Amino acid sequence: MTADDATTPAPTHGAPFWLRELPYLAILVLTALGVAYVSMTRQPIVHYWDGLAVFIGIVGIVVGWHGLTTNRERWRLVWTQVLHWAAFLVAMNMVFLPSVQSLLNADSTSLLVLFQLALGTFVAGVHTASVKLAINGVVMALMVPAIAWLDRSALMLTILATVAIAAAAIMLWRKFNRPA
């Protein structure tokens, strides 16, 4: 693969835009759903994260496949992605070991696993020369501090939202209850 190949877009075969972008959106939505579920239930979901890592690995193979021409290159892609994601799966599952779980709560576990998934996704994007997959990894990594901030600021945000809704309700009530 040459340097020019990395900048050449993969053939779309006439697929609509939304269909081409669906795998990347699915990764972000599934990531957000996993974090939301853990935040609500305060229970780790090991198999969900494992499945998401496998899904991201498959997306990486499919995305990288289009830029390759020989069977040797394609087999190399498959094996590098399999080994890449196997290493990340081992690292992710080490977080769920009882000795590690005794130090972490469910929120910190989910954020740590999310960060590992983000790093794995970014590196997979680099290895497959997929800018979109790498950007997905960056967005997932940015979710980590954002989620941590939202979790710590939930009470403050709820109070601000309540005040804003009350102010809007008072303004609407005044507007519609003016004497004619």
Side-chain angles (χ1 to χ4, degrees):
M1 188 153 127
T2 66
D4 293 336
D5 292 337
T7 58
T8 305
T12 58
H13 304 292
F17 174 78
W18 69 269
L19 192 58
R20 291 189 313 266
E21 302 304 317
L22 188 61
Y24 307 107
L25 181 62
I27 291 169
L28 293 177
V29 168
L30 291 170
T31 300
L33 288 175
V35 171
Y37 179 82
V38 171
S39 294
M40 291 180 67
T41 64
R42 305 283 190 218
Q43 297 294 319
I45 48 174
V46 181
H47 300 302
Y48 182 84
W49 298 122
D50 290 346
L52 185 55
V54 170
F55 175 71
I56 297 169
I58 292 168
V59 169
I61 290 170
V62 170
V63 166
W65 192 271
H66 295 295
L68 305 175
T69 55
T70 67
N71 281 340
R72 181 181 173 138
E73 290 173 324
R74 289 179 174 158
W75 276 109
R76 186 173 190 282
L77 168 73
V78 169
W79 280 111
T80 56
Q81 285 300 295
V82 166
L83 292 173
H84 167 90
W85 284 105
F88 274 95
L89 281 168
V90 168
M92 286 167 42
N93 280 288
M94 289 177 79
V95 172
F96 294 106
L97 290 173
S99 59
V100 177
Q101 284 296 294
S102 68
L103 301 172
L104 303 173
N105 62 25
D107 287 337
S108 57
T109 298
S110 68
L111 290 178
L112 182 56
V113 170
L114 173 57
F115 188 71
Q116 289 176 322
L117 276 171
L119 179 60
T121 304
F122 176 79
V123 174
V126 170
H127 284 237
T128 59
S130 171
V131 174
K132 291 178 184 178
L133 197 55
I135 289 172
N136 247 22
V138 171
V139 171
M140 291 165 69
L142 292 174
M143 284 178 159
V144 173
I147 291 165
W149 182 82
L150 285 173
D151 195 41
R152 289 189 177 264
S153 306
L155 179 60
M156 180 185 68
L157 293 172
T158 302
I159 291 170
L160 289 174
T162 303
V163 168
I165 291 170
I170 290 169
M171 290 180 357
L172 286 172
W173 182 76
R174 283 183 154 179
K175 180 180 180 179
F176 291 114
N177 287 327
R178 286 188 181 156

